[in-house]
Amino acid sequence: MDALVMCGGRGTRLREVDGTNDADAIPPDREKPLVEICGRSMLARVVDALRASGLDGTIHAVVSPQTPATADRAADLSVSVVETPGAGYVSDLGAALASVGRPALTVPADLPLLAPEHVDDARSRARVADGRSDASTDAETVTSLTVCVPAVLKQRLGASVGTTFESAGRAVAPTGLNVAAGDDDTVALTYDARLAVNVNRPGDVALAEVLCE
């Protein structure tokens, strides 16, 4: 199973200031995946987690015209680069999946506290959801999976919440860690605070720094 690290966004929200966390706002020339958390770029941290997991496919950095420096950094990390138009997350993801095929594990570069066990758990749940518990990664033996956290967990941590939807009677927020396979989609809920921090706003930088120590 290959992995797609989504790196093509503009990161405009991360450049905003609100009077309380101005120091954490990134400069206009800094690309979001290259923002450092605990001394290492978010891109490098996600790639490290993927490489330390049981993933047996190729890691691809999905870039766009908005992230040329990220493309260069991915090459430095010996990561395959997939170019997309930069028309939006969903559109770019579709283009990347068309290029590398399914199933594929997908993760945004703004999930810097991703750990190897998160990757392995998502892959395992995608197989179990399809009724299989072996190590096969053929499309026929893996189902699509969306890893979510309770929205209330993000709120309690002070993390930016973003998109939510209802699952099993509660509001949940997608982490961005997914397995893209077939049409059926299973929600996998986790209470791990590390997956509740997508770095979308300046305050998320400070929170990620605290949790990564």
Side-chain angles (χ1 to χ4, degrees):
M1 183 185 295
D2 285 3
L4 300 174
V5 184
M6 303 301 295
C7 302
R10 295 179 182 274
T12 53
R13 289 175 294 174
L14 197 52
R15 306 177 201 283
E16 297 172 354
V17 295
D18 62 8
T20 61
N21 47 27
D22 298 8
D24 294 315
I26 67 171
D29 60 346
R30 178 77 56 82
E31 294 176 11
K32 182 179 178 181
L34 302 184
V35 171
E36 291 189 354
I37 301 296
C38 292
R40 195 149 172 79
S41 73
M42 294 197 291
L43 171 63
R45 293 179 64 88
V46 170
V47 169
D48 286 348
L50 291 169
R51 284 182 169 154
S53 74
L55 193 77
D56 55 2
T58 301
I59 301 171
H60 308 273
V62 181
V63 301
S64 76
Q66 283 83 249
T67 53
T70 298
D72 291 342
R73 181 58 182 142
D76 291 341
L77 293 169
S78 299
V79 172
S80 167
V81 174
V82 175
E83 300 274 357
T84 63
Y89 189 96
V90 174
S91 177
D92 288 354
L93 176 58
L97 287 170
S99 174
V100 307
R102 299 170 184 249
L105 183 135
T106 70
V107 60
D110 67 14
L111 195 65
L113 304 184
L114 180 75
E117 58 266 28
H118 300 145
V119 177
D120 292 335
D121 183 61
R123 293 171 63 243
S124 177
R125 290 199 196 197
R127 291 195 300 271
V128 170
D130 196 61
R132 298 286 293 270
S133 59
D134 58 37
S136 174
T137 55
D138 292 336
E140 293 77 13
T141 64
V142 179
T143 192
S144 292
L145 188 81
T146 299
V147 179
C148 297
V149 295
V152 68
L153 175 60
K154 281 180 168 280
Q155 293 164 352
R156 288 172 179 169
L157 289 170
S160 58
V161 178
T163 301
T164 64
F165 64 93
E166 188 170 305
S167 176
R170 72 171 68 197
V172 300
T175 64
L177 176 61
N178 303 307
V179 174
D183 293 333
D184 294 335
D185 190 15
T186 299
V187 172
L189 192 64
T190 176
Y191 296 86
D192 193 320
R194 293 172 293 177
L195 290 181
V197 184
N198 296 94
V199 176
N200 288 316
R201 298 188 181 278
D204 296 325
V205 175
L207 177 59
E209 291 270 357
V210 170
L211 292 179
C212 79
E213 293 177 350

